[in-house]
Amino acid sequence: MWSFSQLTDWIDRSLHSVMGDGWALTVEFILIGVAILVAYAVLALFLIYAERKICAFFQCRIGPNRVGKWGIFQSVADMIKILLKELIRIDNSDKFLFRAAAFFVIIGSICTFGAIPFAKGLHAIDFNVGVFYLTAVSSLGVVGILLAGWSSNSKYTMIGAMRSGAQLISYEISAGLSLMTIVILSGTMQLSEIVEQQGQAWFIFKGGLPAVIAFITYLIAGHAETNRGPFDQPEAESELTAGYHTEYSGIQFGFFYLAEYLNAFIIAAIATTMFLGGWQPLHIPGWEGFNRIMDYIPSVIWFFGKTCFCIFLAFWVRWSFPRLRIDQLLSFEWKILMPICLINLILMSVYVIL
Amino acid sequence: MNAGKYIKNIFVGIYRLCQGMYITMLNFCRPKITEQYPENRGKKIYGERFRGLLTMPHDSENHHKCIACGICMNNCPNGTIKVITRMEKDETTGRDRKVLDRYIYNLGSCIFCGLCTRSCPQQAIEWSNNFEHSVFDPGKLIKQLNREGSSLAPKKTE
């Protein structure tokens, strides 16, 4: 299988041949940063288009179909519109925190985005505590949401932010516990190692019933963490106009919007990496010919295919179910989801020991 | 809460959620019937009963079927139709006969009730599918349905 490390090694060598070590490292950092930001923006545009189209199909509509063939440039047009909009000043708001909040949200999301192994050899940061890093950095977003709600000087944003704080912190426990079940199975927190171990069989197949339960609970908890679908109390448009980002306009709103969609992608990507084998192709032990054919499909396609599948599941749930009430939401987490996760953790430990 | 009920609730909940997702998936796969309006302009036939614009069909020899009886004018609830007649000498019988001079139809006051077409004894007027009626000048809403120089179709000799 072709590895991206050939390309990155070539860039590394050619940079080292023309400049000193320090400069080469700086240039590489800048290149990786630019690549991640571009991928971030392009994915966000794609996801916004996909969400609108899929939502339309679930509601028996056609969706955007005016800008370009089948409306594929609709989100580009939306982006241009949002860039041209005015940034409105809010009276009696905390100006500094108001500005900072959008950056908190998007930085948390970009930091998580950078740590995902996209393909063979295409992995920007590979910590030995990768899973820990992912959960830690992705929960940075809640700080931005709370700041946005506090600094906007509006009751809607305040209620939205408080709900969001309660919700995100609760569901982080379930998400973390589901990831921990896989860490028990793999025995490592390093993402590259986790993906490597799934070469023969993906963890969802290898781990048996506990892995399947962990996959489902992770999808539910992750879905709640992205403030989408039936768990969108923080922005509940029929109650709170737009929740914590009511007072934002222009590109500051765009940051929240981008971060929301990319968080959905990140949750799907983590689920792919941890449960569905990351960029590893589908291998069935014993079927040599089948495995060889699967190896011909590039690893990027495997990763994005599985991620798109997870994202589609999220969209499907989002457009199927009505919004929960906030107390139902929290009792669902604390009384049902977390006990299941804890029992599942014990099940997985027993499974690994046996 | 007893433990049996708690566990049963979880499974019932999962089953109900799957039911809901099954329904939405059916909707997702259903063919979409939204009409693409400016693209299908002129191609889409809305059916015989669609009341777009009142027209008076003329045949290739510029004959219409209106006998200028005025039933449509009398039936019209708000005076949209005006049948203006003139007397003309019939060539076969040699007597004066009432023929249609101008058939004036005011689109601005038409409520598209269809009483005129329904009561017409000769089926001389009918509805067309054309529904794009907006104009800048209200005077253009007053239309003359019979063409210039048109005349009543001669009776079919059997």
Side-chain angles (χ1 to χ4, degrees):
Chain A
M1 191 179 249
W2 192 76
S3 169
F4 274 91
S5 56
Q6 292 169 19
L7 177 71
T8 48
D9 284 345
W10 177 75
I11 293 173
D12 186 50
R13 259 182 282 114
S14 44
L15 278 177
H16 275 286
S17 63
V18 289
M19 55 184 86
D21 281 359
W23 280 109
L25 203 61
T26 316
V27 171
E28 279 168 12
F29 279 158
I30 292 169
L31 278 179
I32 289 169
V34 168
I36 284 179
L37 285 178
V38 168
Y40 192 87
V42 170
L43 270 175
L45 291 182
F46 167 72
L47 281 176
I48 290 168
Y49 172 71
E51 155 98 74
R52 291 183 64 176
K53 213 62 177 167
I54 288 172
C55 155
F57 271 67
F58 273 122
Q59 296 171 349
C60 279
R61 298 185 283 118
I62 289 176
N65 62 348
R66 293 288 147 193
V67 193
K69 183 84 175 157
W70 303 307
I72 42 174
F73 298 118
Q74 180 68 51
S75 46
V76 179
D78 283 349
M79 180 192 73
I80 292 167
K81 188 199 81 170
I82 220 166
L83 286 172
L84 294 175
K85 284 215 165 184
E86 185 191 357
L87 295 177
I88 297 166
R89 289 162 162 273
I90 310 298
D91 278 351
N92 299 324
S93 67
D94 191 328
K95 298 267 176 340
F96 175 70
L97 292 183
F98 189 73
R99 296 273 163 80
F103 288 101
F104 265 100
V105 172
I106 203 152
I107 283 171
S109 150
I110 289 177
C111 286
T112 328
F113 189 69
I116 295 169
F118 290 102
K120 193 171 189 178
L122 201 64
H123 193 175
I125 320 167
D126 191 15
F127 287 128
N128 54 358
V129 285
V131 179
F132 190 59
Y133 171 81
L134 284 182
T135 46
V137 176
S138 63
S139 49
L140 196 66
V142 72
V143 179
I145 289 173
L146 283 172
L147 282 184
W150 172 254
S151 61
S152 297
N153 186 29
S154 156
K155 56 182 178 290
Y156 296 126
T157 60
M158 190 66 210
I159 296 169
M162 285 299 129
R163 284 182 181 190
S164 179
Q167 176 184 330
L168 292 193
I169 290 165
S170 312
Y171 276 87
E172 218 119 75
I173 298 171
S174 289
L177 284 175
S178 325
L179 292 182
M180 281 309 117
T181 35
I182 291 307
V183 172
I184 289 175
L185 182 62
S186 65
T188 174
M189 274 192 170
Q190 195 167 0
L191 287 173
S192 57
E193 184 69 21
I194 288 175
V195 174
E196 212 56 59
Q197 283 186 16
Q198 300 182 71
Q200 284 313 307
W202 302 349
F203 277 157
I204 195 166
F205 303 131
K206 207 194 243 175
L209 184 67
V212 175
I213 296 175
F215 180 60
I216 294 169
T217 48
Y218 182 72
L219 283 185
I220 295 173
H223 197 68
E225 265 191 82
T226 52
N227 293 335
R228 296 162 58 75
F231 307 110
D232 61 347
Q233 284 80 11
E235 36 198 286
E237 59 263 45
S238 47
E239 304 157 28
L240 302 175
T241 59
Y244 57 86
H245 55 61
T246 305
E247 305 292 346
Y248 284 87
S249 64
I251 192 62
Q252 288 179 329
F253 167 73
F255 279 170
F256 281 107
Y257 199 56
L258 226 66
E260 184 194 326
Y261 279 93
L262 255 294
N263 281 336
F265 176 83
I266 286 163
I267 293 297
I270 294 174
T272 303
T273 310
M274 301 293 286
F275 298 96
L276 301 180
W279 45 260
Q280 294 282 8
L282 178 65
H283 279 174
I284 298 172
W287 296 19
E288 290 308 322
F290 178 78
N291 292 351
R292 213 166 298 127
I293 293 167
M294 288 292 137
D295 280 341
Y296 281 117
I297 302 173
S299 52
V300 176
I301 292 179
W302 274 110
F303 178 80
F304 281 98
K306 287 183 248 185
T307 311
C308 286
F309 169 72
C310 291
I311 291 173
F312 180 76
L313 277 183
F315 286 165
W316 187 4
V317 168
R318 179 177 188 186
W319 296 108
S320 294
F321 302 126
R323 186 182 304 133
L324 275 75
R325 220 168 50 210
I326 187 74
D327 62 317
Q328 291 170 339
L329 179 89
L330 290 179
S331 62
F332 174 66
E333 157 64 17
W334 291 100
K335 290 181 183 167
I336 296 174
L337 208 56
M338 201 179 69
I340 289 177
C341 283
L342 286 172
I343 292 167
N344 194 37
L345 204 63
I346 298 167
L347 268 181
M348 184 53 103
S349 318
V350 173
Y351 182 85
V352 169
I353 291 166
L354 295 180
Chain B
M1 205 200 302
N2 68 45
K5 202 178 161 194
Y6 174 82
I7 290 164
K8 193 187 153 207
N9 269 344
I10 291 174
F11 282 101
V12 169
I14 291 171
Y15 173 66
R16 295 272 183 254
L17 290 181
C18 290
Q19 270 187 324
M21 287 174 77
Y22 169 69
I23 294 291
T24 45
M25 187 37 83
L26 285 186
N27 273 316
F28 184 81
C29 299
R30 188 175 293 166
K32 307 295 175 277
I33 53 164
T34 314
E35 290 296 339
Q36 306 279 308
Y37 163 55
E39 281 83 13
N40 72 2
R41 187 173 179 184
K43 292 175 205 154
K44 168 85 181 164
I45 309 241
Y46 293 90
E48 271 178 33
R49 294 192 296 171
F50 183 80
R51 297 173 195 161
L53 180 70
L54 193 65
T55 53
M56 180 179 283
H58 288 65
D59 62 12
S60 55
E61 288 153 4
N62 207 11
H63 290 317
H64 56 74
K65 288 194 274 184
C66 181
I67 54 169
C69 60
I71 293 175
C72 50
M73 179 167 68
N74 293 336
N75 265 317
C76 185
N78 50 356
T80 295
I81 298 169
K82 277 195 184 62
V83 180
I84 297 166
T85 57
R86 65 169 193 271
M87 300 308 276
E88 199 173 69
K89 206 171 192 86
D90 195 326
E91 282 157 11
T92 50
T93 56
R95 275 182 287 178
D96 273 358
R97 196 181 63 161
K98 193 163 79 169
V99 294
L100 182 69
D101 187 25
R102 282 184 294 147
Y103 192 102
I104 305 295
Y105 167 60
N106 186 355
L107 182 58
S109 66
C110 181
I111 60 167
F112 303 96
C113 60
L115 289 177
C116 46
T117 50
R118 194 183 291 181
S119 62
C120 182
Q122 301 289 319
Q123 284 83 44
I125 46 178
E126 62 183 34
W127 295 105
S128 77
N129 269 330
N130 178 13
F131 57 89
E132 292 158 344
H133 298 322
S134 23
V135 284
F136 285 104
D137 179 11
K140 285 180 183 164
L141 289 173
I142 299 167
K143 294 171 190 290
Q144 180 175 346
L145 292 194
N146 60 326
R147 292 185 196 149
E148 279 307 313
S150 62
S151 59
L152 180 62
K155 266 184 196 161
K156 275 179 192 151
T157 48
E158 288 166 35

